[in-house]
Amino acid sequence: MAYTLANLQTDIRNYTEVGSNVLSDSVLERIIKNAELKIHRAIDTDQSVFYATSNLIIGNRYVTIPADLRFIRYVQLTNSDGEQFYLEQRDTSFIAEYYSTPGTQAVDIPKYYANWDEEFWVVAPTPDRTYDITLAYDKEPDTITSGTPSTAGTYLSNKYSDLLLYACLVNTYGYLKGPTDMLQYYKAAYDEALESYAIEQIGNRRRDEYQDGEVRAQLNVKSPSSYGNK
């Protein structure tokens, strides 16, 4: 079933048989948020991909990072003639060596980018003209604990409610400090649900049956000649 915040909180209390006097709404909201983040970090999913547009300005090699960015997937530039370029990611040490005298003077078509700090990413060389940027990045996941998703649900709570519930129960039993056997049971259930989630998200969703063929399970079948051997 799909989860809203209210019925997920109810299920956590029912499964653990612990009431709201211990598992208050505020406690459960933090437990749920931590579970969402755990799942988000464990598997690279399409639900977190986001695209933003911006501009490189002549003479300015720094670009502000979007507030909800976790990491950059790729950067595409388009000039005024409609030509497209993809930048290659490098470390800041490479940028410093490659372009050791950065300044505000326009130099050339940018070739590389790097994560500069928590506020900016940087390109090299310094842009020689204005370029449109298409930035593909991994964004902060939606959370069921606030706003519209609390009643409408999220991609995770609507489509993978079992995974979210098991992750929450693992966190809850850890918060309650026992019993150990229940913690181990739900940890195993979470691991199994996470594995099937991973198969779908980074396996089936990124395959094309026409180009890649159907997914087939390997069968351990004995060779016919082996049946006569003891």
Side-chain angles (χ1 to χ4, degrees):
M1 77 177 210
Y3 273 128
T4 63
L5 175 60
N7 58 26
L8 178 56
Q9 289 174 326
T10 297
D11 268 8
I12 293 172
R13 291 178 181 129
N14 288 342
Y15 274 71
T16 58
E17 299 182 333
V18 176
S20 58
N21 57 324
V22 175
L23 296 178
S24 64
D25 286 354
S26 60
V27 167
L28 286 184
E29 285 175 13
R30 175 44 53 194
I31 285 173
I32 293 167
K33 177 66 173 177
N34 287 344
E36 291 171 326
L37 290 172
K38 181 197 302 187
I39 295 168
H40 179 76
R41 294 191 185 106
I43 303 297
D44 178 29
T45 71
D46 295 333
Q47 64 151 325
S48 57
V49 179
F50 196 76
Y51 301 89
T53 57
S54 184
N55 300 99
L56 279 179
I57 301 172
I58 297 174
N60 184 3
R61 67 191 191 121
Y62 297 99
V63 185
T64 302
I65 291 174
D68 60 351
L69 181 144
R70 296 183 74 91
F71 63 84
I72 297 172
R73 290 177 176 266
Y74 67 81
V75 180
Q76 180 191 61
L77 302 186
T78 306
N79 64 22
S80 57
D81 298 324
E83 298 176 295
Q84 296 181 342
F85 311 89
Y86 285 88
L87 302 188
E88 297 180 30
Q89 186 179 28
R90 293 291 189 270
D91 295 331
T92 51
S93 58
F94 176 92
I95 298 291
E97 180 181 6
Y98 171 78
Y99 193 47
S100 60
T101 56
T104 58
Q105 183 178 3
V107 175
D108 205 343
I109 301 171
K111 296 181 180 180
Y112 306 106
Y113 78 93
N115 295 297
W116 188 252
D117 56 25
E118 72 276 11
E119 295 183 10
F120 299 98
W121 55 278
V122 64
V123 300
T126 298
D128 60 339
R129 59 197 292 188
T130 298
Y131 294 91
D132 294 331
I133 304 170
T134 298
L135 180 68
Y137 66 92
D138 199 72
K139 69 180 182 67
E140 292 282 347
D142 294 330
T143 176
I144 198 175
T145 60
S146 64
T148 301
S150 65
T151 54
T154 63
Y155 178 82
L156 185 63
S157 71
N158 288 333
K159 294 182 178 293
Y160 304 95
S161 56
D162 59 332
L163 175 61
L164 179 57
L165 174 62
Y166 295 145
C168 290
L169 289 173
V170 170
N171 287 356
T172 303
Y173 277 110
Y175 172 79
L176 296 172
K177 299 178 177 60
T180 303
D181 59 334
M182 297 305 298
L183 177 60
Q184 292 174 341
Y185 173 82
Y186 285 115
K187 179 62 168 62
Y190 166 74
D191 289 342
E192 183 178 348
L194 184 67
E195 182 179 1
S196 64
Y197 178 62
I199 290 171
E200 180 174 318
Q201 290 293 314
I202 60 179
N204 294 337
R205 284 179 62 88
R206 299 184 184 182
R207 290 177 57 89
D208 181 281
E209 184 177 302
Y210 176 75
Q211 297 183 67
D212 301 317
E214 294 183 5
V215 178
R216 293 176 171 83
Q218 184 175 354
L219 301 178
N220 294 321
V221 181
K222 290 184 177 181
S223 170
S225 61
S226 67
Y227 288 112
N229 299 327
K230 294 184 180 180

